[in-house]
Amino acid sequence: MSTVLRKILVTCAFPYANGSIHIGHMLEHIQADIWVRYQRMRGHEVWFISADDAHGTAIMLKSETLGISSHKLIKNIQKEHQIDFMNFNISYDNYHSTHSIENLYLLRKIFTCLNNKGLIQEKIISQFYDNIKKIFLPDRFIQGICPVCRSDNQYGDNCEECGATYEPIDLINPISVISKKKPILKNTKHLYFDLTFFTDFLKKWIYSGVLDDSVIKKTEEWLKVGLKSWGISRDAPYFGFKIPNFPNKYFYVWLDAPIGYISAFKNLCFKNKELNFNELWHKESSYELYHFIGKDIIYFHTLFWPSILEAVSLRKPNGIFVHGYLTMNGLKLSKSRGFLIKASDWIKYLDSDSLRYYYASKLSNNINDIEMNLEDFVQKINSDIVNKLVNLASRNASFINKYFNGYLSNKLNDNGLYQHFIDMSNKIENFLEKREFSFVIKESMKLIDIANQYINEKKPWKIEIIETNMNELQNICTMGINLFRIVMIFLKPILPDLAIKTEFFLISNLTWESIKKPLLSHKINKFTPLYERISFKKISQLINLYK
């Protein structure tokens, strides 16, 4: 077992502050939270942060539509997001906003540093302009046909079908999302970050163990084509931070959003005086830094972000963990595409552990998409959690409660079998560390099957209730309870609500260190149902909200 204690900072990509969290978003936050909870169980010092991405044209337009200020909108949305994450047991140490004093301070400091080093260039460019709404159009407000794969309805910066990145003016048949009219081209001056300067650095950095193979492959494609200078400014009207000494220019959201990782931690340092900001962010930091992101923002995190950090002599991430999209019936769950189930709606009809478990059963450390099938979801939760896992506890606890006043016996009935479960902990640890959560579920269910088979063979319900048989009955059921307990320790990062109920039932904490030490001569509580079967009726009620 690991003895070297680590110091770790974990971040998730920031949800955009113009709408609700849906279950597609929740995939990433659950994935990261499982990993964080596991690391905490192993005794490591882990800080887990995120924030609302609170700038951009979309927020300005949304607030205009609602008839409220952008400040009011982002405040309301942040509150809503925090409730959603709390409902799904996402254990953030700090959840901040990019519209903060810390972010403004760091953004200006970093921009000044980049400018002083000659890494900021001014260019006059042609940009799409909506002549009806009198606004320069951000990439996400232009749609057209991808110039690479010819897919329709693609955004102005990248194609969701083939993953190509391009300039908005490369789009075929562009249309303004705001007015639904063809935009005109208009000249404007913008600031650019010289990303090309970092080509050699990036070619080394991407092979330093930071990226998984599939992500390296994607990043190599961009490096092969050749990097371009990166636009970091936007024209007024815009909701964001103004660029000093450049009238009517604002910092582009993709410059201030990743800097939000630093500012969210800086804000945490204000709240927790024991934390040292420089200790984490300086170039030789002993802390580990990991970003959990979706595959649609690889470019920003594997090229743009490390170059900014290198330019200003701050530490780089130790790992960028990338997941695929969540799909339902083959369609990507996307706020902008209008296909989603809101997290707040899910929690009205279903519980958070069920979604966490289902995602875990499909998550690995690659960038493959994950298909959500609601029939499969119901079957999996009822089969694995209700029929196998909780049933193992229930069938053994009934005898312990009824005949032994809640006391487990002073010995295990099968030390060899218990040892097999202990030995599996090394395998489970490896899977949890490497984010191979689907294998954690598979192996845990194999163990539960073995435990249930053991009880089926011993048939405690057939043992005659006479004094000479009572030790054997108590030993068998004690064995069953202890096997259940080990598997629940493995699943604790995935099923936090069930873990809390289990700890109350067992009157014992589910800790990694206690795997080797069985509960013997120990009193447990009277068994009460730990988990409720999911009905198709609840699923229907949820789906009906969207019809």
Side-chain angles (χ1 to χ4, degrees):
M1 293 222 178
S2 169
T3 49
V4 180
L5 292 185
R6 299 153 64 187
K7 293 179 172 186
I8 306 169
L9 176 67
V10 177
T11 76
C12 280
F14 297 172
Y16 200 45
N18 74 331
S20 301
I21 297 292
H22 59 69
I23 61 168
H25 292 128
M26 208 49 87
L27 176 74
E28 180 177 302
H29 298 266
I30 287 171
Q31 182 190 29
D33 185 71
I34 292 169
W35 197 74
V36 163
R37 283 175 181 271
Y38 167 67
Q39 300 299 347
R40 286 176 181 151
M41 278 182 82
R42 304 311 307 279
H44 303 307
E45 179 191 318
V46 189
W47 301 99
F48 187 22
I49 60 170
S50 190
D52 266 8
D53 182 0
H55 291 150
T57 310
I59 284 162
M60 179 184 75
L61 293 171
K62 177 80 180 265
S63 61
E64 282 174 10
T65 305
L66 295 173
I68 59 174
S69 71
S70 295
H71 290 92
K72 177 92 173 139
L73 172 68
I74 63 171
K75 214 172 176 183
N76 294 347
I77 292 284
Q78 187 180 3
K79 207 178 283 180
E80 183 192 318
H81 286 180
Q82 285 178 287
I83 291 166
D84 287 336
F85 292 132
M86 193 174 66
N87 283 338
F88 282 83
N89 290 307
I90 311 299
S91 55
Y92 284 122
D93 293 292
N94 198 30
Y95 191 86
H96 203 36
S97 168
T98 57
H99 194 71
S100 68
I101 194 75
E102 299 91 352
N103 209 35
L104 177 60
Y105 166 76
L106 287 161
L107 177 64
R108 284 180 175 171
K109 196 175 175 183
I110 286 169
F111 174 73
T112 303
C113 180
L114 298 175
N115 206 13
N116 290 344
K117 288 187 174 182
L119 293 165
I120 303 295
Q121 308 149 342
E122 288 184 51
K123 287 186 196 176
I124 292 175
I125 61 157
S126 285
Q127 199 177 343
F128 280 127
Y129 185 81
D130 190 319
N131 219 5
I132 294 161
K133 295 288 182 180
K134 305 297 179 201
I135 186 172
F136 279 103
L137 292 167
D139 307 339
R140 290 264 138 175
F141 283 83
I142 309 154
Q143 277 187 337
I145 297 167
C146 170
V148 179
C149 74
R150 297 294 198 270
S151 295
D152 207 355
N153 295 325
Q154 296 307 315
Y155 294 116
D157 55 351
N158 75 295
C159 175
E160 289 182 348
E161 288 298 319
C162 71
T165 56
Y166 40 72
E167 291 300 317
I169 56 170
D170 297 332
L171 268 184
I172 301 162
N173 298 338
I175 291 289
S176 165
V177 172
I178 308 170
S179 66
K180 308 298 181 197
K181 302 291 181 192
K182 188 171 182 174
I184 62 166
L185 281 172
K186 193 173 174 180
N187 283 354
T188 181
K189 188 189 280 186
H190 275 300
L191 302 181
Y192 281 77
F193 170 64
D194 186 8
L195 188 59
T196 59
F197 180 82
F198 296 91
T199 302
D200 290 341
F201 155 72
L202 289 166
K203 280 179 176 172
K204 288 195 191 93
W205 183 77
I206 65 167
Y207 300 113
S208 63
V210 188
L211 309 176
D212 291 320
D213 290 345
S214 54
V215 182
I216 290 174
K217 203 173 164 196
K218 192 78 213 154
T219 308
E220 279 175 337
E221 288 172 21
W222 289 314
L223 285 165
K224 207 175 279 180
V225 172
L227 300 177
K228 294 173 185 169
S229 291
W230 187 262
I232 59 158
S233 62
R234 287 296 182 264
D235 286 295
Y238 190 82
F239 180 64
F241 292 137
K242 283 187 170 180
I243 304 178
N245 306 318
F246 291 91
N248 293 323
K249 298 292 176 187
Y250 287 79
F251 286 111
Y252 175 39
V253 64
W254 263 111
L255 180 63
D256 75 58
I259 292 169
Y261 294 139
I262 311 176
S263 60
F265 184 74
K266 193 167 186 65
N267 178 258
L268 180 60
C269 293
F270 288 137
K271 296 173 182 176
N272 184 338
K273 299 301 178 197
E274 288 174 27
L275 274 176
N276 183 311
F277 177 79
N278 292 323
E279 193 187 334
L280 191 136
W281 282 103
H282 78 83
K283 212 165 184 177
E284 305 305 319
S285 175
S286 61
Y287 273 85
E288 299 167 42
L289 169 64
Y290 299 100
H291 299 308
F292 282 79
I293 63 163
K295 66 181 180 183
D296 54 334
I297 53 173
I298 291 174
Y299 191 95
F300 304 101
H301 285 80
T302 63
L303 297 171
F304 182 59
W305 179 227
S307 300
I308 294 280
L309 292 169
E310 179 68 9
V312 297
S313 297
L314 290 176
R315 58 91 40 78
K316 267 76 69 188
N318 296 76
I320 295 171
F321 300 150
V322 185
H323 60 83
Y325 300 132
L326 181 73
T327 61
M328 195 178 280
N329 308 323
L331 297 169
K332 179 190 170 190
L333 268 76
S334 158
K335 190 162 54 182
S336 53
R337 298 291 185 196
F339 184 78
L340 53 87
I341 294 173
K342 283 163 63 173
S344 56
D345 288 333
W346 178 279
I347 216 76
K348 285 174 198 164
Y349 298 98
L350 301 157
D351 67 308
S352 64
D353 270 3
S354 61
L355 191 66
R356 292 175 67 104
Y357 186 86
Y358 188 73
Y359 282 170
S361 74
K362 291 180 168 273
L363 273 166
S364 63
N365 54 18
N366 61 40
I367 58 172
N368 296 341
D369 292 346
I370 289 167
E371 172 70 10
M372 176 105 192
N373 178 304
L374 290 172
E375 283 185 22
D376 174 50
F377 163 78
V378 172
Q379 194 275 328
K380 185 154 212 53
I381 300 306
N382 289 341
S383 168
D384 286 11
I385 300 181
V386 181
N387 297 351
K388 294 181 180 182
L389 182 63
V390 170
N391 185 44
L392 176 64
S394 165
R395 64 203 302 213
N396 289 286
S398 60
F399 293 105
I400 297 291
N401 292 147
K402 188 173 181 179
Y403 298 113
F404 307 103
N405 197 26
Y407 275 93
L408 300 173
S409 68
N410 60 5
K411 60 177 266 200
L412 290 174
N413 203 43
D414 189 334
N415 286 314
L417 180 56
Y418 190 76
Q419 189 59 46
H420 171 67
F421 275 55
I422 292 172
D423 293 342
M424 280 302 296
S425 64
N426 290 331
K427 209 173 183 182
I428 298 288
E429 284 165 22
N430 189 42
F431 289 143
L432 282 164
E433 180 63 46
K434 291 182 173 172
R435 309 173 324 282
E436 294 276 15
F437 301 148
S438 61
F439 290 119
V440 174
I441 301 281
K442 274 182 193 137
E443 294 301 330
S444 295
M445 283 305 111
K446 276 187 203 167
L447 292 173
I448 285 294
D449 285 342
I450 290 168
N452 276 311
Q453 190 184 341
Y454 165 84
I455 298 299
N456 290 343
E457 284 168 6
K458 295 294 180 184
K459 297 181 174 58
W461 55 89
K462 283 199 169 177
I463 293 175
E464 193 182 351
I465 305 301
I466 55 173
E467 197 175 329
T468 51
N469 292 343
M470 296 314 271
N471 273 353
E472 186 193 0
L473 178 61
Q474 191 181 19
N475 290 346
I476 290 166
C477 295
T478 295
M479 186 74 193
I481 293 289
N482 272 283
L483 298 181
F484 162 75
R485 178 172 165 270
I486 288 186
V487 176
M488 271 311 301
I489 291 171
F490 296 159
L491 295 176
K492 184 179 179 179
I494 298 169
L495 298 168
D497 281 340
L498 182 57
I500 288 167
K501 289 178 187 172
T502 300
E503 287 175 335
F504 177 77
F505 157 58
L506 294 176
I507 318 179
S508 173
N509 289 334
L510 300 169
T511 66
W512 218 267
E513 300 72 45
S514 64
I515 287 172
K516 287 182 180 174
K517 195 177 177 222
L519 289 181
L520 298 173
S521 305
H522 175 90
K523 188 172 172 60
I524 60 172
N525 271 321
K526 189 166 173 23
F527 184 84
T528 54
L530 297 173
Y531 198 87
E532 205 177 294
R533 181 175 293 279
I534 292 176
S535 69
F536 277 103
K537 187 185 171 189
K538 296 268 181 168
I539 297 287
S540 300
Q541 288 171 329
L542 176 62
I543 295 302
N544 284 339
L545 295 177
Y546 297 91
K547 283 184 177 173

